[in-house]
Amino acid sequence: MSSTFIVLGIVLAYLAIVMFMGIRAGLYGKKDDMNEFVAASGSLNGLTMYFLMGGAIFSAFAFLGGPGWAYSKGAASFYILAYCAAGLIPWMIWGVKAYRLGRRYNYITQAQLVSDRYNSKALSAIMAVVSILAFIQYIALQLKGMAYVLNVTTGGLIPFWLGALIAYTVVLVYVFTSGVRGVAWTNVLQGLLMLIMAWILGLWLPIKFHGGITQMFEKIAASDPAHLIIGEKISWATYSSGLLVSILGFTMWPHLFMKAFASKSEKTLKRTIALYPTFAIFMVPVLFIGFSGIGIVEYGTLESADQILPYMVTQLDLPAVLLGLVAAATLAAAMSSSDTITHGAASVYTVDFHKKIINPNINDKNAVKVTRAAVVVFCTVAYLIAIFGGQSLVALLLGAYGSIVQFLPIIAATFFWPRSTKHGVVAGLATGIVLNYYVTLSGFSFFGLHSGLVGLLGNTIVLIVVSSMTKPESTEHVMKFVEESQVPVDKEA
Amino acid sequence: MKELPKGLYIFSEKLDDKSKSRSIFWFCYFTVCIFATMWPIYLLANRIYPMILGMPFTMFWVALWIVLLFVGTMTKFKQEY
């Protein structure tokens, strides 16, 4: 019983610190201004940007799904490393161009940029709806992860529903009060905590159970060699197309565009991209955690492979302090993604949906109010889904990805294909989303190719064909986007 | 009204040759890095031995490309600033 209280004490201390930092960060900004709430008036520096981006990828997935994959699927989990490392590479093109146009025309969201180029409110609305659905799925996923960890590490003292409620209340409070500044500062703290814990656990568990990392892999190679190579437990087509879709899709997430618009300068943005592959290095020990469970935890013991880390730390007589830190680090990982996502979802709703469709004349003060209301609504929906709906962590994340990656042809066309038209991109997007859902739901696929990739092919073809058949837009308007996105906007540097 | 350019518009006319060729080089470099961990290039490394730094070769291969990606992104950044 006493160990439960140590765990609880550490977790509560962590939550209190995060909440304090989050609220305090908001006190520096100007109040009730939409640009401040969404983009911190474009003033975030290198350190905070780095952890903002890192926090987005280190989600509950890092401590639950990641080790779970390594434990149950083996080599398929290397996909996580490759994807983390390369995820932000396409951002050298999209992010930098978006930043330049954002500075010139004061965009704060992705759909603003696109709907300006194609003069289409419908496009903005469709993108808003798709992103919000994907966001809610994602938030629900994080909530489930947090609730699960709180439940297990306290030995069942905190029930599932209460755990989700506690963790989310904290996120809600600081996103609600401080906007993007609250998110950025807490992410620095959370980032450090989860990186340190990942390394401690990833190096210590293999040594404790197997005597070392090499010994651990030697044991696996002897007992189940298929676990360490591709093509046995997962097909090449599934592995490669899943990886490709993830890399292409990562930079299409609307909250990343918001972060580009929130950057202080082009240099800050580029530095973030340059440093980003380091996060993939930090993911290496996370996989060691999962591999260390092989042979220690019998297959079939766990309800779901995602439970491997919490199971190991609770069942294998580890010190209570470590247990508490594992719980806090998992919460940190989950919260640093869900705060960014919640903030993103609410901002997208206000800017791309409410302002375009419901009330175009809303003033800035009311817009911030609407955003805050949206934060509460989306959290509540995600909470209910987390409590009542049930799907595996990883499948959910990949499913949401499929639809977001369908924005790629539109973004590419905005910057590189002057001839693309409103009708072309809307028809392409619709095709991509329908195909993605069809493949996901029916389970039918060509050679096991990822549903997002199938959607992407259809999407691109329709975009090209329909654009070629419809009337082009005015040269002057179109060239503004292709031309000016190539010219740096910052005065210095 | 001016003619709308046909096809893809990759580089602005205002860009000089040096920055164009740099862009093309980095595009190729990163494309290779990304596809190195997919079919078919990854087939080359799809084996357990030799184990390096404690990792099976499949895992080491992915880790190696992370490092190469990082070297690339840092070099590109230093080149610009």
Side-chain angles (χ1 to χ4, degrees):
Chain A
M1 203 58 193
S2 68
S3 84
T4 305
F5 286 112
I6 296 175
V7 173
L8 210 56
I10 294 177
V11 168
L12 289 179
Y14 161 76
L15 291 177
I17 294 169
V18 165
M19 204 141 125
F20 172 75
M21 277 184 76
I23 294 172
R24 195 167 161 272
L27 300 179
Y28 292 109
K30 292 177 287 171
K31 283 285 151 126
D32 290 344
D33 166 331
M34 200 58 197
N35 193 347
E36 167 64 27
F37 194 87
V38 179
S41 312
S43 67
L44 294 178
N45 66 23
L47 182 74
T48 41
M49 276 303 285
Y50 177 70
F51 282 107
L52 253 180
M53 299 297 229
I57 202 167
F58 256 88
S59 58
F61 182 79
F63 287 104
L64 302 173
W69 267 40
Y71 171 70
S72 63
K73 298 181 184 174
S77 63
F78 301 156
Y79 136 91
I80 299 162
L81 303 179
Y83 144 65
C84 275
L88 221 54
I89 297 295
W91 203 230
M92 289 178 171
I93 303 174
W94 320 129
V96 171
K97 286 177 184 288
Y99 167 81
R100 290 169 182 167
L101 289 176
R103 258 310 115 85
R104 284 199 175 89
Y105 302 106
N106 295 318
Y107 300 131
I108 47 179
T109 69
Q110 178 189 32
Q112 265 186 330
L113 161 70
V114 176
S115 65
D116 190 16
R117 158 68 177 82
Y118 293 105
N119 290 313
S120 169
K121 282 183 185 174
L123 185 59
S124 168
I126 298 172
M127 287 175 74
V129 171
V130 170
S131 341
I132 289 168
L133 287 179
F135 279 151
I136 289 177
Q137 265 187 314
Y138 198 110
I139 301 168
L141 191 77
Q142 303 305 320
L143 274 178
K144 280 175 80 171
M146 289 190 270
Y148 179 75
V149 166
L150 277 177
N151 181 277
V152 172
T153 51
T154 57
L157 189 69
I158 299 179
F160 194 79
W161 66 269
L162 183 64
L165 197 62
I166 294 173
Y168 224 67
T169 309
V170 178
V171 176
L172 193 71
V173 166
Y174 72 76
V175 174
F176 190 89
T177 51
S178 325
V180 73
R181 271 181 212 276
V183 174
W185 278 104
T186 51
N187 272 12
V188 174
L189 173 77
Q190 290 166 334
L192 288 173
L193 178 62
M194 60 205 184
L195 294 183
I196 293 169
M197 283 313 291
W199 278 92
I200 292 178
L201 291 170
L203 298 178
W204 186 63
L205 289 177
I207 293 171
K208 181 176 160 66
F209 295 143
H210 307 278
I213 292 164
T214 316
Q215 289 87 328
M216 171 176 81
F217 282 116
E218 288 288 0
K219 270 198 213 166
I220 300 169
S223 63
D224 185 11
H227 204 69
L228 298 178
I229 54 173
I230 311 285
E232 296 281 342
K233 295 193 173 178
I234 185 168
S235 82
W236 279 101
T238 307
Y239 181 86
S240 304
S241 65
L243 176 55
L244 188 62
V245 167
S246 299
I247 292 174
L248 294 176
F250 184 62
T251 45
M252 288 302 125
W253 281 86
H255 63 280
L256 280 189
F257 277 77
M258 282 175 209
K259 299 303 164 294
F261 298 137
S263 295
K264 204 175 196 170
S265 67
E266 194 171 315
K267 190 177 173 182
T268 308
L269 185 68
K270 286 182 173 168
R271 191 192 293 116
T272 312
I273 302 172
L275 290 172
Y276 202 75
T278 53
F279 278 109
I281 301 281
F282 294 133
M283 288 297 275
V284 173
V286 165
L287 298 188
F288 290 162
I289 297 174
F291 282 116
S292 75
I294 297 171
I296 300 297
V297 180
E298 289 292 324
Y299 285 112
T301 314
L302 305 174
E303 261 170 65
S304 140
D306 298 338
Q307 302 172 354
I308 185 72
L309 173 62
Y311 181 86
M312 284 197 294
V313 293
T314 45
Q315 300 299 311
L316 301 168
D317 286 332
L318 300 185
V321 176
L322 190 72
L323 205 56
L325 287 173
V326 169
T330 314
L331 289 183
M335 284 165 69
S336 61
S337 319
S338 38
D339 56 7
T340 311
I341 299 281
T342 309
H343 175 262
S347 309
V348 163
Y349 171 76
T350 309
V351 178
D352 302 330
F353 197 87
H354 199 93
K355 263 190 169 180
K356 296 270 178 188
I357 308 288
I358 298 175
N359 181 8
N361 302 319
I362 193 165
N363 66 28
D364 235 34
K365 212 171 170 184
N366 285 333
V368 176
K369 276 186 197 153
V370 171
T371 314
R372 291 194 164 136
V375 169
V376 178
V377 172
F378 294 151
C379 284
T380 313
V381 173
Y383 177 73
L384 295 175
I385 292 174
I387 302 297
F388 297 110
Q391 263 190 61
S392 170
L393 280 168
V394 178
L396 246 163
L397 186 61
L398 279 174
Y401 254 112
S403 291
I404 294 291
V405 74
Q406 304 306 329
F407 296 160
L408 176 67
I410 304 181
I411 300 293
T414 301
F415 293 131
F416 293 115
W417 198 38
R419 183 64 180 82
S420 58
T421 67
K422 170 163 94 179
H423 302 96
V425 293
V426 172
L429 180 60
T431 312
I433 293 171
V434 169
L435 270 177
N436 174 54
Y437 271 93
Y438 175 73
V439 175
T440 312
L441 297 178
S442 71
F444 165 80
S445 182
F446 312 95
F447 316 109
L449 287 182
H450 191 275
S451 56
L453 197 66
V454 177
L456 213 47
L457 293 176
N459 183 341
T460 311
I461 295 168
V462 171
L463 191 159
I464 293 172
V465 171
V466 176
S467 290
S468 310
M469 290 188 316
T470 44
K471 194 171 155 285
E473 282 160 63
S474 98
T475 308
E476 201 186 337
H477 173 76
V478 171
M479 293 315 283
K480 177 176 110 181
F481 292 88
V482 286
E483 203 46 75
E484 290 179 9
S485 66
Q486 306 213 5
V487 185
V489 65
D490 295 344
K491 293 281 190 301
E492 82 288 324
Chain B
M1 198 174 86
K2 281 190 295 175
E3 249 323 89
L4 200 64
K6 289 207 170 57
L8 295 178
Y9 190 86
I10 309 283
F11 291 116
S12 159
E13 284 145 19
K14 289 175 195 154
L15 285 181
D16 55 278
D17 284 344
K18 194 177 158 199
S19 48
K20 271 189 209 175
S21 48
R22 269 187 184 173
S23 298
I24 294 169
F25 169 78
W26 286 117
F27 184 83
C28 297
Y29 181 86
F30 290 122
T31 306
V32 169
C33 289
I34 288 172
F35 283 95
T37 53
M38 288 178 205
W39 184 90
I41 309 179
Y42 197 12
L43 280 172
L44 293 173
N46 195 29
R47 50 202 149 99
I48 297 174
Y49 295 98
M51 284 205 189
I52 301 176
L53 297 172
M55 293 180 274
F57 198 71
T58 36
M59 192 178 186
F60 169 76
W61 178 261
V62 178
L64 174 73
W65 285 101
I66 298 176
V67 174
L68 289 174
L69 262 173
F70 182 53
V71 169
T73 55
M74 282 318 281
T75 314
K76 183 175 182 293
F77 183 75
K78 293 278 178 236
Q79 222 174 38
E80 284 178 68
Y81 295 97

